[in-house]
Amino acid sequence: MNDSISSGYLLPHNFGVERLAKQLGGDAHCRVGETASFSLHYFDSFDWRLHAAGLRLLQMRSPRGTVVRLKPVAGGEPIDSVAFDAEPAWPADLPDSRLRAEVAKRLDMRVLLPLAAVHGEVTDLSVLNEDGKTVVRLQLLNMRCDSADVDEPRVLWPRVRVLPVRGYQGDLKKLSDFMSIEMEWPDAPDCMFDEVMAAVGREPDDYSSKMNVSLSPDMTAADATRKVLRDLLSTLQRNIPGTRDDLDSEFLHDLRVATRRTRSALSQVKQVLPESIVADFKQRFAWLGQVTGPVRDLDVFLLELPRYRASLPGSMATDLDALEEHLHIAHGKEQASLKRELESARMYKLLDDWHGVLNAETLPGEPALFADQPIEQVASKRIWRMYKRVLKVGRAIEVDGPAEDMHELRKDCKKLRYLIEFFQGIYPKKELKELIRALKVVLDNLGEFQDLEVQADKLRSFAKDFDPQDPHSMPTVMAIGALVADLLRHQQAAHERFADCFHAFDSAENHAHYTHLFKAKAKGEAQG
Amino acid sequence: MKIIGVYNIKGGVGKTATAVNIAHLAAKSGLRTLIWDLDPQAAATYYLRVKPKVKRSEKLLRGKGKGELDDVVKGSDYANLDLLPADFSYRNMDLLLGENKKPTMRLLKLLRPLSKEYDLVVLDCPPSISLVSENIFRAADALLLPTIPTTLSLRTMQQLLDFMEGRKLMTPVYAFYSMVDRRKRLHQDVIAAPGDPRCSVLETVIPYATEVERMGIERRPVTDYIPRSPAGLAYQALWAEAKAKVGGLNPMVDLDALF
């Protein structure tokens, strides 16, 4: 087919099928067929994981039935389709298929959410030649779209879709010329996706848990820091509904990360915001970290459970059933209490007050010492100091030293990472990426070390909820014992790997990067 | 892409009517469907209002030159339904196929490049048992065998099954009774009798009906111009049964491409 021929044209509003048929030459040249209704929903995770993998998932309902289809974003043939009538949420609910496997692989622990819906009517038209033979088929489309983000449906531009009939290219060309040149109808885009998303005010990757605040080096420290904190507040707020309704465990996770980063910014970006504000909100965000903790702990266990089962001998795997039930019951209780906290006046006031501070023209009280200094100096100084601290603490760690040393180092590494992430906008991207990667190796090792210990401790405390004398509980207690032993073995292994991980961080090359990026810029401001 | 051959050694058993009606129903359900009229009588081509002419058809069948089936496909009046028209040269198809290196595989080889474009190919086969038939048996995922419930028809069914057994052809064969007149005692008896264990008999029975004969006047499938008639309903039941037997036929919803 000729590439210059459009796949469709946008029509003037209120251009009904009768007018279209008339324009095409009336009954002798055009036959109007059936009109059918359809609806279509796009799905992805809250953080667009399918889109990031170049995939698009949609569910089409029409008189032909309901089909869920996975397509490449780039266009082309669908990857797989399944008949599925209910609203897709968890991949496990979908029929066993390639589609399910592909979606599950990308989503991990995330649930599918509807992004937008399109409702429409499609009318078939046939353009006929002098023999009465169909030579081009057309579809007149009238569509509206809506989503949870808009109050009322948005009407999309009506359009006519051109479906070539094979072997009648000449007629197709003639009709296309008529539509584009004579009628001057503009080409319709080949794919509706962008138009639908724009209509409901969404766009791919409009949410990401990763930080990426654009800053300029000469912004004042106070302005830059508040901008970073506004970004964190927005992330935090966007995750509240999903956390409250427990849609998936990642909402709470992202909410907690945003809270932790906020607290870290408050304590690590020193003397930039007024001391009274810092002290007040440090304590109030500490409360939020605390009330969100219990559900997250249980989430971690429920997510880890399949791995725990796999680590036990086959004959013991079902011995964890009672633990799973126990975790679910505890989760239900903690989730209910978390929901209450998130809906409380205290939470509402925290967000409202914080919003006020971050958006106020001027901050109350004495301006902090470094508030008006350029952010480049303040940030560089903080990062450089934290880097030196990490080196000092890390170099002092011994293979058989106390676990606390590892925990302390982890806290410092996290502070360093957060500082770099907050202010990444003022440093060269490529070099920073290298730094974060090297730091992440150490952090992953320290994180594993600590998580395994925490999990082992928690499992021990869960075991106390089962009576070892009760013959029904005994296998569960024994399975937990086996798990704890396994976790502690892995923790030991993580400890032994530490030296290697840290060695890569503590390299001359890495040091050169830190020196180049932060040291000189920090020095200019050493009087602080 | 699945390939269904509608075949019988005998002529006049309702092959073309079956091929055209099930192809129409498949297309209507959203399957991208191609019907190949292999019969030089060109009845399917006529029903679908296309001229029975294929450029360079002899070269295509002989396996000479660079031509592809893709170049000679014609769209029908129906969404998702395309036709490979018949050509008068098809009367010599056996000879033309015989010139290939692998004469029994030529049709399959020609169809393979179309597998991305179509979900289903329906072959409307000429009567007789020949090199053409063997090509069809090798290309098809399943054979639909319209059978008039008479003794003579049953004999030709045996001939086919013997032939396939002799050549070790494993293509599943689904017979069904066609042009059935319930008033005839013989028809009733044949339908009631146990069939050959080598082929399954579908439950659907296509009645003898004037509306099927009228396809030649209307030049449309029965399932289009009078879908609620007994024959129209019977073809719908036949398609549902055949589709389930063949499997793997998930319709593309035509509008999907837009989203």
Side-chain angles (χ1 to χ4, degrees):
Chain A
M1 202 185 79
N2 189 339
D3 285 341
S4 68
I5 287 173
S6 172
S7 65
Y9 299 91
L10 299 176
L11 297 175
H13 264 296
N14 302 318
F15 206 87
V17 66
E18 292 81 12
R19 263 183 82 188
L20 178 60
K22 204 172 153 197
Q23 287 295 347
L24 296 172
D27 289 351
H29 301 282
C30 178
R31 186 166 58 229
V32 177
E34 287 169 23
T35 299
S37 302
F38 66 92
S39 68
L40 174 134
H41 288 79
Y42 288 113
F43 292 89
D44 205 333
S45 68
F46 186 64
D47 54 358
W48 299 88
R49 290 187 183 195
L50 295 180
H51 189 272
L55 298 172
R56 186 168 292 160
L57 188 73
L58 51 90
Q59 184 178 42
M60 170 70 102
R61 286 174 197 277
S62 76
R64 285 182 186 151
T66 305
V67 179
V68 177
R69 213 182 292 291
L70 187 68
K71 303 171 75 170
V73 165
E77 289 291 300
I79 294 160
D80 193 17
S81 313
V82 295
F84 186 70
D85 206 43
E87 181 176 308
W90 294 103
D93 303 334
L94 292 164
D96 190 7
S97 56
R98 174 157 177 230
L99 180 143
R100 180 170 88 178
E102 295 280 345
V103 170
K105 188 164 75 186
R106 271 37 181 259
L107 288 182
D108 202 359
M109 74 291 280
R110 293 230 78 154
V111 72
L112 289 169
L113 297 172
L115 293 172
V118 181
H119 306 281
E121 291 81 41
V122 52
T123 304
D124 292 330
L125 289 100
S126 301
V127 178
L128 311 173
N129 67 9
E130 56 278 14
D131 299 335
K133 169 79 179 73
T134 302
V135 290
V136 183
R137 291 191 311 108
L138 302 175
Q139 287 180 324
L140 176 68
L141 285 148
N142 282 295
M143 294 174 278
R144 302 156 299 286
C145 56
D146 62 32
S147 81
D149 305 305
V150 295
D151 296 334
E152 52 184 67
R154 306 287 163 87
V155 176
L156 296 174
W157 213 262
R159 68 204 65 211
V160 62
R161 196 171 163 226
V162 179
L163 301 158
V165 174
R166 296 186 68 146
Y168 299 91
Q169 278 82 352
D171 299 272
L172 176 68
K173 178 81 176 69
K174 237 190 290 174
L175 182 77
S176 301
D177 285 350
F178 171 74
M179 290 182 165
S180 58
I181 298 168
E182 216 161 305
M183 300 306 293
E184 296 182 332
W185 290 337
D187 287 359
D190 289 339
C191 177
M192 300 286 304
F193 181 80
D194 293 342
E195 209 177 326
V196 172
M197 289 303 141
V200 298
R202 296 289 310 262
E203 64 177 312
D205 299 329
D206 58 12
Y207 175 81
S208 164
S209 60
K210 291 202 179 81
M211 294 202 70
N212 188 16
V213 184
S214 73
L215 300 171
S216 64
D218 52 357
M219 277 173 100
T220 69
D223 284 349
T225 304
R226 286 207 297 167
K227 192 168 181 193
V228 168
L229 287 165
R230 278 198 296 274
D231 184 72
L232 290 169
L233 175 60
S234 154
T235 302
L236 194 156
Q237 284 181 306
R238 291 190 64 182
N239 280 291
I240 291 175
T243 303
R244 191 186 54 215
D245 300 336
D246 193 20
L247 297 180
D248 67 35
S249 58
E250 215 52 13
F251 285 99
L252 174 59
H253 176 256
D254 285 3
L255 186 151
R256 280 175 59 76
V257 171
T259 306
R260 209 157 44 227
R261 281 176 171 156
T262 301
R263 292 170 63 197
S264 190
L266 284 171
S267 58
Q268 292 308 307
V269 189
K270 293 178 196 296
Q271 303 193 64
V272 166
L273 297 178
E275 192 44 42
S276 58
I277 288 177
V278 171
D280 180 24
F281 283 94
K282 255 163 83 172
Q283 168 239 324
R284 288 166 80 178
F285 279 107
W287 165 79
L288 185 55
Q290 205 185 333
V291 297
T292 52
V295 175
R296 177 61 195 168
D297 289 344
L298 291 161
D299 278 341
V300 170
F301 279 104
L302 287 167
L303 290 168
E304 287 289 328
L305 210 61
R307 224 172 311 177
Y308 288 167
R309 278 190 207 278
S311 74
L312 290 174
S315 58
M316 287 177 86
T318 54
D319 294 347
L320 290 178
D321 290 355
L323 175 65
E324 183 171 6
E325 197 190 330
H326 181 78
L327 290 171
H328 277 295
I329 293 169
H331 191 278
K333 280 186 198 154
E334 293 294 351
Q335 174 66 32
S337 121
L338 172 60
K339 186 168 184 281
R340 275 196 302 278
E341 298 288 8
L342 291 178
E343 289 170 341
S344 67
R346 186 176 184 176
M347 178 71 182
Y348 178 81
K349 197 160 181 322
L350 165 60
L351 296 177
D352 197 44
D353 290 352
W354 189 227
H355 186 268
V357 168
L358 297 182
N359 292 284
E361 284 278 316
T362 50
L363 291 173
E366 271 299 285
L369 190 56
F370 302 140
D372 292 328
Q373 287 204 351
I375 186 59
E376 189 178 37
Q377 278 180 15
V378 175
S380 299
K381 187 179 76 177
R382 283 306 307 154
I383 293 170
W384 177 246
R385 282 197 180 166
M386 191 49 74
Y387 167 67
K388 284 195 298 183
R389 187 179 156 82
V390 165
L391 281 185
K392 193 174 146 202
V393 177
R395 283 171 181 165
I397 284 187
E398 288 164 17
V399 179
D400 42 7
E404 283 68 37
D405 291 354
M406 296 275 280
H407 299 337
E408 281 308 309
L409 178 62
R410 185 186 185 208
K411 283 187 199 161
D412 290 336
C413 284
K414 274 204 164 181
K415 286 173 190 165
L416 176 59
R417 181 177 175 179
Y418 287 162
L419 281 168
I420 295 174
E421 284 173 346
F422 294 155
F423 302 115
Q424 57 188 291
I426 55 177
Y427 300 101
K429 215 172 183 171
K430 213 175 144 197
E431 234 170 318
L432 223 50
K433 215 173 154 187
E434 289 295 310
L435 292 189
I436 292 177
R437 205 172 54 192
L439 183 55
K440 211 172 161 281
V441 173
V442 183
L443 262 171
D444 285 349
N445 174 258
L446 294 167
E448 191 186 357
F449 178 82
Q450 182 163 11
D451 291 349
L452 290 166
E453 182 178 292
V454 171
Q455 286 174 38
D457 282 351
K458 291 262 172 186
L459 279 171
R460 279 203 194 100
S461 74
F462 290 144
K464 289 188 191 122
D465 297 333
F466 295 92
D467 177 5
Q469 306 302 322
D470 177 351
H472 293 295
S473 300
M474 200 182 61
T476 307
V477 177
M478 287 178 68
I480 292 176
L483 275 183
V484 169
D486 192 48
L487 291 171
L488 293 178
R489 257 197 308 278
H490 279 102
Q491 193 206 10
Q492 184 55 38
H495 204 163
E496 282 158 15
R497 275 199 311 279
F498 169 76
D500 284 343
C501 295
F502 191 76
H503 188 70
F505 174 80
D506 191 5
S507 69
E509 196 192 348
N510 207 34
H511 190 72
H513 280 309
Y514 273 93
T515 310
H516 166 239
L517 282 177
F518 308 114
K519 195 182 176 187
K521 286 161 191 158
K523 262 189 177 166
E525 191 262 338
Q527 70 272 25
Chain B
M1 184 178 79
K2 298 282 182 181
I3 302 173
I4 296 179
V6 183
Y7 176 81
N8 197 319
I9 298 177
K10 243 175 93 49
V13 296
K15 277 192 298 288
T16 299
T18 303
V20 169
N21 281 298
I22 64 166
H24 172 247
L25 290 169
K28 203 174 165 202
S29 80
L31 292 169
R32 296 164 304 169
T33 307
L34 176 71
I35 177 166
W36 190 354
D37 187 354
L38 288 161
D39 188 340
Q41 294 176 54
T45 306
Y46 179 79
Y47 286 152
L48 293 172
R49 299 167 183 249
V50 176
K51 294 190 179 98
K53 182 95 195 92
V54 178
K55 280 183 204 159
R56 296 183 299 274
S57 81
E58 299 196 1
K59 277 189 180 165
L60 280 174
L61 295 170
R62 274 193 193 128
K64 303 279 179 318
K66 281 194 178 159
E68 285 184 18
L69 283 187
D70 201 41
D71 306 329
V72 292
V73 170
K74 287 276 179 183
S76 74
D77 285 7
Y78 305 99
N80 299 321
L81 180 58
D82 289 347
L83 172 78
L84 269 166
D87 188 89
F88 197 54
S89 65
Y90 286 5
R91 71 193 188 283
N92 301 320
M93 198 182 275
D94 262 11
L95 296 173
L96 298 168
L97 291 173
E99 292 183 26
N100 285 276
K101 266 190 209 143
K102 289 182 185 168
T104 60
M105 303 297 278
R106 180 64 192 160
L107 293 191
L108 185 58
K109 200 177 168 197
L110 279 168
L111 283 169
R112 269 197 197 121
L114 296 174
S115 67
K116 284 241 175 271
E117 283 177 67
Y118 294 100
D119 302 311
L120 175 68
V121 176
V122 178
L123 303 173
D124 182 22
C125 308
S128 88
I129 193 147
S130 59
L131 187 53
V132 182
S133 333
E134 199 173 338
N135 260 276
I136 288 157
F137 304 155
R138 292 195 189 274
D141 294 292
L143 289 179
L144 277 181
L145 194 71
T147 305
I148 304 178
T150 60
T151 332
L152 214 55
S153 275
L154 290 183
R155 264 202 67 233
T156 59
M157 188 203 276
Q158 303 299 335
Q159 283 177 332
L160 167 68
L161 295 170
D162 292 345
F163 176 86
M164 292 186 74
E165 202 171 34
R167 304 274 162 126
K168 297 197 167 54
L169 289 161
M170 309 299 281
T171 323
V173 178
Y174 303 107
F176 63 94
Y177 292 110
S178 169
M179 302 174 79
V180 173
D181 188 341
R182 292 275 184 194
R183 293 163 306 182
K184 288 187 180 161
R185 183 61 196 268
L186 175 67
H187 282 197
Q188 285 181 32
D189 290 349
V190 170
I191 290 173
D196 190 305
R198 291 173 296 178
C199 94
S200 27
V201 178
L202 301 179
E203 283 181 19
T204 307
V205 166
I206 308 290
Y208 177 84
T210 48
E211 61 256 26
V212 179
E213 292 185 331
R214 262 184 50 213
M215 275 173 66
I217 300 163
E218 296 282 343
R219 298 185 74 180
R220 285 151 73 190
V222 175
T223 47
D224 176 37
Y225 76 87
I226 181 159
R228 310 302 301 168
S229 64
L233 293 172
Y235 281 121
Q236 287 171 48
L238 179 70
W239 166 236
E241 234 186 315
K243 188 181 156 191
K245 292 278 186 202
V246 175
L249 290 168
N250 291 321
M252 281 275 305
V253 180
D254 180 30
L255 268 177
D256 261 30
L258 251 190
F259 297 91

